[in-house]
Amino acid sequence: MNILLWHVHGSWTTAFVQGPHRYLVPVLPGRGPDGRGRARTFSWPESVTEITPEGLRDAPVDLVVLQRPHEAGLAERWLGGRRPGGDVPAVYLEHNAPDGNVPETRHPCAGRDDLTLVHVTHFNRLFWDSGPTPTAVIEHGVVDPGHLYTGQLARAAVVVNEPVRRGRYTGTDLLPALSEAAPLDVFGMGTEGLAEHLGLPPGRCHAQDLPQAALHPAMARRRLYLHPVRWTSLGLSLLEAMHLGMPVVALATTEAVEAVPAGAGALSTRPEVLARAAHAYLHDPDAAAEDGARARRAALDRYGLKRFLDDWERLIEEVAR
């Protein structure tokens, strides 16, 4: 099949395009948000094809995967008037937990009967008001980076994009206290100046933005993975850390309580409990490695790539019919 989707979330798309189809990814001059084209820091197969709006006008498209509200209109214009959900089968993939007046949060696709609304977590489906729109949950899948964990550095890895701007959503305000239990290495986009923003010396909080190929080995050298996020969808970085064999210390919020089983780390809504768990892992490398191995087994079982692609194949066949 020819599947049209925008390059919105690099990690998720990297897993999705491992399937058996041809994936058409719009590209524009300047490669802005509506035309990023192929990823430059992720490894995508040759089945991912860049295509211009002009090229889409007469291109055969069997399915449109929408991910942002404005994409439906964009697709209809670029497809020469073919309407997603009417003339071309479509799904709307919702990556995010609802924001605003939760739980009274109406989804932009609520009330539509011409497409399927796909959530990446059961938590998200529970909290979005989708009305009578057909919904499905296809949990994340991860391209296995391998069991790279060494834990040789007595520090905690945190992966978050734009922690200063997003603030309490990502638990940025919790980092100073947590850094007293374990020094932090924060990876992600927009992390420049984080230590200064928090008033922390570089030894307690070091931030950098690494390309994907370098990120996983860097994470795996840290003793544990810290996930202080209050409100977001389930971060793929958490699942990647588990695949790497890292023990996880996380706030027991949103879908994390489903993703991290007992024996794979520590979950709590109390930051002081997380601080104690991080401190314990820091001083017991054997326990960290054992719990990390359990985290990896759990992640492979629930968030493995094969299960993810099989789930999508079943939905694609159903929608295409």
Side-chain angles (χ1 to χ4, degrees), residues 249-275:
V249 174
L251 280 179
T253 54
T254 63
E255 191 80 357
V257 295
E258 288 281 335
V260 184
L267 289 170
S268 178
T269 54
R270 298 165 59 189
E272 61 270 22
V273 173
L274 301 189

mmCIF file of all heavy atoms in Angstrom, residues 249-275:
data_model
loop_
_atom_site.group_PDB
_atom_site.id
_atom_site.type_symbol
_atom_site.label_atom_id
_atom_site.label_comp_id
_atom_site.label_asym_id
_atom_site.label_seq_id
_atom_site.Cartn_x
_atom_site.Cartn_y
_atom_site.Cartn_z
ATOM 1 N N VAL A 249 13.227 5.023 37.213
ATOM 2 C CA VAL A 249 12.662 5.714 38.373
ATOM 3 C C VAL A 249 11.741 6.789 37.814
ATOM 4 O O VAL A 249 12.195 7.727 37.149
ATOM 5 C CB VAL A 249 13.776 6.328 39.246
ATOM 6 C CG1 VAL A 249 13.178 7.158 40.369
ATOM 7 C CG2 VAL A 249 14.676 5.230 39.813
ATOM 8 N N ALA A 250 10.427 6.643 38.057
ATOM 9 C CA ALA A 250 9.471 7.493 37.344
ATOM 10 C C ALA A 250 8.302 7.902 38.217
ATOM 11 O O ALA A 250 7.876 7.156 39.109
ATOM 12 C CB ALA A 250 8.935 6.741 36.112
ATOM 13 N N LEU A 251 7.781 9.095 37.931
ATOM 14 C CA LEU A 251 6.518 9.493 38.536
ATOM 15 C C LEU A 251 5.410 8.552 38.076
ATOM 16 O O LEU A 251 5.330 8.202 36.890
ATOM 17 C CB LEU A 251 6.153 10.921 38.136
ATOM 18 C CG LEU A 251 6.823 12.076 38.885
ATOM 19 C CD1 LEU A 251 6.341 13.408 38.330
ATOM 20 C CD2 LEU A 251 6.540 12.004 40.383
ATOM 21 N N ALA A 252 4.563 8.151 38.993
ATOM 22 C CA ALA A 252 3.468 7.223 38.687
ATOM 23 C C ALA A 252 2.290 7.997 38.108
ATOM 24 O O ALA A 252 1.211 8.080 38.702
ATOM 25 C CB ALA A 252 3.062 6.458 39.942
ATOM 26 N N THR A 253 2.516 8.582 36.945
ATOM 27 C CA THR A 253 1.491 9.394 36.294
ATOM 28 C C THR A 253 1.291 8.919 34.866
ATOM 29 O O THR A 253 2.141 8.233 34.302
ATOM 30 C CB THR A 253 1.894 10.882 36.281
ATOM 31 O OG1 THR A 253 3.185 11.002 35.678
ATOM 32 C CG2 THR A 253 1.945 11.452 37.689
ATOM 33 N N THR A 254 0.176 9.318 34.287
ATOM 34 C CA THR A 254 -0.251 8.927 32.941
ATOM 35 C C THR A 254 -0.002 7.429 32.735
ATOM 36 O O THR A 254 -0.342 6.617 33.582
ATOM 37 C CB THR A 254 0.394 9.809 31.848
ATOM 38 O OG1 THR A 254 1.810 9.659 31.847
ATOM 39 C CG2 THR A 254 0.047 11.264 32.063
ATOM 40 N N GLU A 255 0.608 7.011 31.609
ATOM 41 C CA GLU A 255 0.709 5.591 31.277
ATOM 42 C C GLU A 255 1.926 4.900 31.882
ATOM 43 O O GLU A 255 2.086 3.690 31.737
ATOM 44 C CB GLU A 255 0.734 5.434 29.747
ATOM 45 C CG GLU A 255 0.580 4.028 29.222
ATOM 46 C CD GLU A 255 -0.853 3.515 29.192
ATOM 47 O OE1 GLU A 255 -1.761 4.253 29.644
ATOM 48 O OE2 GLU A 255 -1.067 2.394 28.703
ATOM 49 N N ALA A 256 2.774 5.636 32.603
ATOM 50 C CA ALA A 256 3.972 5.018 33.170
ATOM 51 C C ALA A 256 3.632 3.871 34.102
ATOM 52 O O ALA A 256 4.382 2.892 34.202
ATOM 53 C CB ALA A 256 4.807 6.071 33.907
ATOM 54 N N VAL A 257 2.494 3.960 34.780
ATOM 55 C CA VAL A 257 2.129 2.899 35.718
ATOM 56 C C VAL A 257 1.826 1.588 35.000
ATOM 57 O O VAL A 257 1.894 0.511 35.598
ATOM 58 C CB VAL A 257 0.912 3.314 36.574
ATOM 59 C CG1 VAL A 257 1.272 4.493 37.463
ATOM 60 C CG2 VAL A 257 -0.285 3.672 35.707
ATOM 61 N N GLU A 258 1.473 1.647 33.711
ATOM 62 C CA GLU A 258 1.261 0.442 32.916
ATOM 63 C C GLU A 258 2.561 -0.055 32.302
ATOM 64 O O GLU A 258 2.759 -1.253 32.101
ATOM 65 C CB GLU A 258 0.259 0.729 31.800
ATOM 66 C CG GLU A 258 -1.168 0.902 32.258
ATOM 67 C CD GLU A 258 -1.837 -0.450 32.532
ATOM 68 O OE1 GLU A 258 -1.396 -1.453 31.949
ATOM 69 O OE2 GLU A 258 -2.787 -0.480 33.320
ATOM 70 N N ALA A 259 3.461 0.863 31.975
ATOM 71 C CA ALA A 259 4.649 0.511 31.210
ATOM 72 C C ALA A 259 5.758 -0.094 32.060
ATOM 73 O O ALA A 259 6.531 -0.918 31.571
ATOM 74 C CB ALA A 259 5.177 1.752 30.493
ATOM 75 N N VAL A 260 5.853 0.319 33.331
ATOM 76 C CA VAL A 260 6.970 -0.114 34.186
ATOM 77 C C VAL A 260 6.448 -1.093 35.236
ATOM 78 O O VAL A 260 5.811 -0.688 36.204
ATOM 79 C CB VAL A 260 7.642 1.088 34.867
ATOM 80 C CG1 VAL A 260 8.860 0.631 35.669
ATOM 81 C CG2 VAL A 260 8.040 2.148 33.843
ATOM 82 N N PRO A 261 6.682 -2.395 35.056
ATOM 83 C CA PRO A 261 6.156 -3.373 36.006
ATOM 84 C C PRO A 261 6.992 -3.440 37.276
ATOM 85 O O PRO A 261 8.100 -2.889 37.354
ATOM 86 C CB PRO A 261 6.250 -4.686 35.220
ATOM 87 C CG PRO A 261 7.423 -4.494 34.314
ATOM 88 C CD PRO A 261 7.402 -3.029 33.941
ATOM 89 N N ALA A 262 6.472 -4.119 38.262
ATOM 90 C CA ALA A 262 7.209 -4.323 39.507
ATOM 91 C C ALA A 262 8.526 -5.028 39.212
ATOM 92 O O ALA A 262 8.605 -5.934 38.380
ATOM 93 C CB ALA A 262 6.365 -5.155 40.473
ATOM 94 N N GLY A 263 9.566 -4.586 39.885
ATOM 95 C CA GLY A 263 10.870 -5.191 39.709
ATOM 96 C C GLY A 263 11.699 -4.592 38.603
ATOM 97 O O GLY A 263 12.844 -4.999 38.379
ATOM 98 N N ALA A 264 11.128 -3.619 37.888
ATOM 99 C CA ALA A 264 11.852 -2.979 36.788
ATOM 100 C C ALA A 264 12.306 -1.571 37.142
ATOM 101 O O ALA A 264 12.908 -0.892 36.314
ATOM 102 C CB ALA A 264 10.980 -2.934 35.542
ATOM 103 N N GLY A 265 11.997 -1.150 38.366
ATOM 104 C CA GLY A 265 12.365 0.198 38.778
ATOM 105 C C GLY A 265 11.497 0.639 39.933
ATOM 106 O O GLY A 265 11.023 -0.179 40.723
ATOM 107 N N ALA A 266 11.262 1.935 40.038
ATOM 108 C CA ALA A 266 10.473 2.500 41.123
ATOM 109 C C ALA A 266 9.499 3.518 40.562
ATOM 110 O O ALA A 266 9.869 4.369 39.751
ATOM 111 C CB ALA A 266 11.387 3.167 42.149
ATOM 112 N N LEU A 267 8.239 3.416 41.002
ATOM 113 C CA LEU A 267 7.185 4.341 40.596
ATOM 114 C C LEU A 267 6.536 4.926 41.835
ATOM 115 O O LEU A 267 6.227 4.197 42.784
ATOM 116 C CB LEU A 267 6.111 3.624 39.770
ATOM 117 C CG LEU A 267 6.469 3.168 38.359
ATOM 118 C CD1 LEU A 267 5.363 2.278 37.817
ATOM 119 C CD2 LEU A 267 6.667 4.364 37.451
ATOM 120 N N SER A 268 6.313 6.221 41.832
ATOM 121 C CA SER A 268 5.635 6.855 42.956
ATOM 122 C C SER A 268 5.172 8.241 42.541
ATOM 123 O O SER A 268 5.745 8.844 41.629
ATOM 124 C CB SER A 268 6.567 6.970 44.169
ATOM 125 O OG SER A 268 5.914 7.621 45.251
ATOM 126 N N THR A 269 4.145 8.733 43.213
ATOM 127 C CA THR A 269 3.736 10.127 43.036
ATOM 128 C C THR A 269 4.446 11.036 44.044
ATOM 129 O O THR A 269 4.183 12.232 44.080
ATOM 130 C CB THR A 269 2.219 10.277 43.211
ATOM 131 O OG1 THR A 269 1.830 9.723 44.484
ATOM 132 C CG2 THR A 269 1.468 9.566 42.093
ATOM 133 N N ARG A 270 5.345 10.470 44.818
ATOM 134 C CA ARG A 270 6.086 11.241 45.824
ATOM 135 C C ARG A 270 7.535 11.405 45.379
ATOM 136 O O ARG A 270 8.294 10.433 45.326
ATOM 137 C CB ARG A 270 6.022 10.525 47.175
ATOM 138 C CG ARG A 270 4.613 10.401 47.721
ATOM 139 C CD ARG A 270 4.535 9.388 48.854
ATOM 140 N NE ARG A 270 5.421 9.752 49.960
ATOM 141 C CZ ARG A 270 5.671 8.949 51.001
ATOM 142 N NH1 ARG A 270 5.103 7.739 51.054
ATOM 143 N NH2 ARG A 270 6.479 9.342 51.963
ATOM 144 N N PRO A 271 7.938 12.628 45.033
ATOM 145 C CA PRO A 271 9.314 12.833 44.572
ATOM 146 C C PRO A 271 10.373 12.347 45.550
ATOM 147 O O PRO A 271 11.441 11.894 45.134
ATOM 148 C CB PRO A 271 9.390 14.344 44.365
ATOM 149 C CG PRO A 271 7.986 14.755 44.089
ATOM 150 C CD PRO A 271 7.135 13.865 44.944
ATOM 151 N N GLU A 272 10.080 12.415 46.851
ATOM 152 C CA GLU A 272 11.081 11.973 47.823
ATOM 153 C C GLU A 272 11.306 10.465 47.736
ATOM 154 O O GLU A 272 12.420 9.976 47.992
ATOM 155 C CB GLU A 272 10.681 12.377 49.245
ATOM 156 C CG GLU A 272 9.370 11.789 49.742
ATOM 157 C CD GLU A 272 8.164 12.661 49.420
ATOM 158 O OE1 GLU A 272 8.259 13.479 48.484
ATOM 159 O OE2 GLU A 272 7.141 12.523 50.119
ATOM 160 N N VAL A 273 10.270 9.711 47.343
ATOM 161 C CA VAL A 273 10.432 8.269 47.145
ATOM 162 C C VAL A 273 11.319 8.011 45.927
ATOM 163 O O VAL A 273 12.184 7.122 45.940
ATOM 164 C CB VAL A 273 9.063 7.593 46.988
ATOM 165 C CG1 VAL A 273 9.219 6.118 46.600
ATOM 166 C CG2 VAL A 273 8.272 7.705 48.284
ATOM 167 N N LEU A 274 11.111 8.789 44.881
ATOM 168 C CA LEU A 274 11.948 8.645 43.686
ATOM 169 C C LEU A 274 13.405 8.990 44.014
ATOM 170 O O LEU A 274 14.326 8.324 43.526
ATOM 171 C CB LEU A 274 11.442 9.544 42.567
ATOM 172 C CG LEU A 274 9.997 9.321 42.098
ATOM 173 C CD1 LEU A 274 9.719 10.137 40.847
ATOM 174 C CD2 LEU A 274 9.710 7.852 41.862
ATOM 175 N N ALA A 275 13.612 10.009 44.823
ATOM 176 C CA ALA A 275 14.970 10.393 45.201
ATOM 177 C C ALA A 275 15.655 9.259 45.956
ATOM 178 O O ALA A 275 16.840 8.953 45.710
ATOM 179 C CB ALA A 275 14.945 11.663 46.044
#
